[in-house]
Each structure stands twice: as structure tokens, then as C-alpha cells.
Amino acid sequence: MISPNIENIIVKFLTKQATASELTELEDWIENPVNKKLFDEYVKINYVIEYNMNEFDSHKLRLKLMEAFDKERKARKFKKIRKVFYYSAAAIILGIVTATYLYQLNFSNTPEPKIIVNNVITAGTDKAILTLEDGSSVVLDKERKYEKDNVVSNGKELVCKNANKKKTEVAYNYLTIPRGGQFKLKLSDGTDVWLNSETKLKFPVAFVEGNLREVELIYGEAFFVVSPSTEHKGAKFKVKNKDQEVEVLGTEFNIKAYQNEDNIYTTLVEGKVTVSNSTTKKYLEPNQQSVINPKKGDIEINPIEAYNEILWTKGIFSFKGKNLKEIMDVMSRWYDVDVFFKNTALEKVKFNGVLSKNDDIKEILTIIKKTNFINDYEIKERKITIK
């Protein structure tokens, strides 16, 4: 099994984000034949669109990978990373050969897709709206710095400073992340919270010393790294949502509770949490995910690779076994677009792979249109139609 640290470096390498020290660590790790096999299998599973899809251009892909490698090598004077390139290229090409064979067998008469694009859509960025206790709002982004009382923003992160005063009343603020945005929040107890697009969190400017530390995820997705209760006189940490509560002592977990989705997903990375609703309470262990459907009321626990669920905090989309509808829901929030399917059967097409959140959406759609199931797409203003 690949450790989360090595998996992170592999993903960063293939998305051109790895540092020189990370590349060195990856090279040392992959020298082991057992690890080389793990690497090949990981790339095949996670970086190649499913084998029943359309043909890939293997020559262009190899050139692209080689170009990326040469750029890394020249910039960082990294002499041995070519081995990693060959391993990843070999694994991907194996998938390409299979896909090409199936394509020639079944889809050789498929016409070339037609693409219509008449405007530019940019990727999301760091931005949020801070709503203060008095109802006033402040726009936060990279162009603006903000500081008032014990709250400070540098354009990427909002920090609530500990006032070192014994408070008896809690003042709440709201942080709203619009579509096309993301932001980080550091609570006054030291807890870090990453907020994804189309998310709203209610949080206290400062916690009452010794009392339960509580925030409310009104909707959206957030990843929490909670400051341990041992540092706060045993005070537990709780995340509320209208349909569930998550209680922790100190841990890392992700909650996804979007308004347009039927289920609420809580994924535990480290530590231990309890997930409860009005009728049931269950414990989560690392690499487990709870699924709550408010209409059904039950809590389902499933095993999961938790690391894949938090790659969005590292600037990466992870689509492992996701269908096209799920992928487009993510795209619509990050690129602030509306996506429509002319044929609803396309919504069930499944993919495996990862992409950088900085990629142009046209690049993503170009990958998708390589499948036999999509003939073309159209971008008009902020509306994407997949046909």
C-alpha cells in the first residue's frame, strides 16, 4: 500500500507541482522493485480514463510527459528523475494500448467530435465574503487585506487571533465562499479549516475557555484539522449541520454537505469522531466515510481512501470512480458555470483520474470528449452543454 505522503508526491509530480526535495524522495522510494510495481498500478488506476473509453493519442501524451520532465530536469538539475517519467509513461501507455484496441474494435467509425466555444472561462481563486456579527459584509480576496479587532486576512486566509480574555458570550461571524472561490480559515483555538467553493460556515470570533468549541457548516464542503482538546482544558470540538453533528477531540476530517446533493459525506483522515443525526450515532475510524441521506435517516459507513477526498485542499481534483454528473457538479462550482446534459445517459459515464484545479476547463472537456459517449460540447457565456 502506498503511504499518503508518497501518494501526495506522485500526484504533485504528475500535475507538475512537486518540489526538488519531493522528487528526490520519490526517486529513492521507486528504486525498490516492489514500490515500482505499486507505482505502475497506481498510475494505471488513477490516471487513465476507463478502458472502455475512446482512443487516446499516445504520441502526444508521451511528448507532453517528456516535455514536462525535461522542464523539471533543467530547472532543478535533477538528473535521475527520468526513471520516474519512464515508469509513469509506461503505466499510462499500457492503458492507452488497451483503450486503443477496444476503440479500433468497437468505435472506429465514430465521427470526430465538434466543439463550440465562444468565450473564456477561468479557474477559481481565493475569495470569500466575511459577514460580521452586526450584519455588515467584507469582500476578501488577493487584492484586499483586512484587519479589524482580532480578525486578519491576507487575501488567502482569515485568521482569528486569540484575545486571551475570559469571555462568557460568543460572537459569531459567517464566511461564505462563492462559486469559483476557496479560502482558508484559522479559528481562535488554532483549528485550520479549508473551505471549498459554494460553502458557508458559521464560526465564533473566539471560543469561551473550557466550553464546547462549536461551528456550523451551513452548506458546502470543508476540511478540518482540529486543535486537540488537551490544549483547551478538555473542550471538545463539534461541527453542526442541519442534518448531522460531528464531535471530535482532535483530528482531521472532511465534510461535504452541498445543497444540491442528496447525501452528506463525512470522511475521517486521522483520529476518531462520532457522527450522529436525530436517531443514530456512529463512530468513524481513519479511512472510513459516513453517508447520511436526510430523507432516509440512516447512517451508512463505508471504507474509503481518505486522502483522495481532501486533494481539493492541495489544488487537485481527484475523480476516482466518479461519474460525469459528479464531475460536472465539481466543475460548475469551481469554474462558476452551469452544466447541462443534452442526453441524461451521459451523466452515468465514469472516469478515473486527477487534474490540477488550475487547468483550463477546455482542457478538461477535451479529455472528456475523447470518449465515445460525447460527440461535442458547447460553451456559451457561462453555460456548458454536453451533447
Side-chain angles (χ1 to χ4, degrees), residues 121-189:
I121 296 174
T122 57
T125 186
D126 297 305
K127 59 184 176 181
I129 300 171
L130 173 65
T131 303
L132 305 174
E133 185 184 23
D134 62 8
S136 61
S137 296
V138 180
V139 175
L140 307 176
D141 59 34
K142 62 182 180 180
E143 303 297 332
R144 300 176 176 89
K145 293 185 178 181
Y146 174 80
E147 183 171 0
K148 184 177 180 180
D149 298 330
N150 296 307
V151 180
V152 179
S153 173
N154 62 3
K156 291 185 177 181
E157 179 181 17
L158 182 68
V159 177
C160 299
K161 298 181 179 179
N162 194 332
N164 294 320
K165 295 181 180 180
K166 291 185 178 180
K167 295 180 177 289
T168 57
E169 295 183 3
V170 178
Y172 286 94
N173 287 350
Y174 294 82
L175 196 61
T176 304
I177 317 302
R179 293 212 303 179
Q182 63 182 10
F183 221 74
K184 185 184 176 186
L185 169 66
K186 181 179 284 292
L187 298 172
S188 63
D189 68 338

Side-chain angles (χ1 to χ4, degrees), residues 70-233:
D70 286 340
K71 185 177 180 180
E72 293 282 355
R73 181 174 58 82
K74 292 176 182 177
R76 295 167 177 162
K77 298 180 180 180
F78 195 80
K79 297 180 180 180
K80 295 183 180 180
I81 193 61
R82 187 177 298 272
K83 292 180 182 179
V84 178
F85 159 73
Y86 283 135
Y87 293 152
S88 60
I92 292 175
I93 290 169
L94 177 60
I96 292 169
V97 170
T98 306
T100 302
Y101 172 76
L102 291 174
Y103 169 80
Q104 292 173 342
L105 186 65
N106 298 309
F107 309 121
S108 57
N109 295 322
T110 302
E112 181 68 21
K114 179 181 66 177
I115 303 169
I116 303 173
V117 179
N118 66 356
N119 67 310
V120 177
I121 296 174
T122 57
T125 186
D126 297 305
K127 59 184 176 181
I129 300 171
L130 173 65
T131 303
L132 305 174
E133 185 184 23
D134 62 8
S136 61
S137 296
V138 180
V139 175
L140 307 176
D141 59 34
K142 62 182 180 180
E143 303 297 332
R144 300 176 176 89
K145 293 185 178 181
Y146 174 80
E147 183 171 0
K148 184 177 180 180
D149 298 330
N150 296 307
V151 180
V152 179
S153 173
N154 62 3
K156 291 185 177 181
E157 179 181 17
L158 182 68
V159 177
C160 299
K161 298 181 179 179
N162 194 332
N164 294 320
K165 295 181 180 180
K166 291 185 178 180
K167 295 180 177 289
T168 57
E169 295 183 3
V170 178
Y172 286 94
N173 287 350
Y174 294 82
L175 196 61
T176 304
I177 317 302
R179 293 212 303 179
Q182 63 182 10
F183 221 74
K184 185 184 176 186
L185 169 66
K186 181 179 284 292
L187 298 172
S188 63
D189 68 338
T191 293
D192 289 313
V193 188
W194 286 260
L195 302 170
N196 210 344
S197 303
E198 204 169 6
T199 295
K200 187 172 185 178
L201 183 77
K202 178 182 178 181
F203 64 96
V205 177
F207 294 102
V208 176
E209 187 177 0
N211 287 8
L212 174 68
R213 297 170 290 157
E214 185 174 277
V215 300
E216 182 179 356
L217 181 62
I218 297 175
Y219 58 80
E221 182 172 19
F223 174 59
F224 295 83
V225 178
V226 178
S227 179
S229 61
T230 52
E231 298 180 6
H232 304 284
K233 296 184 177 180

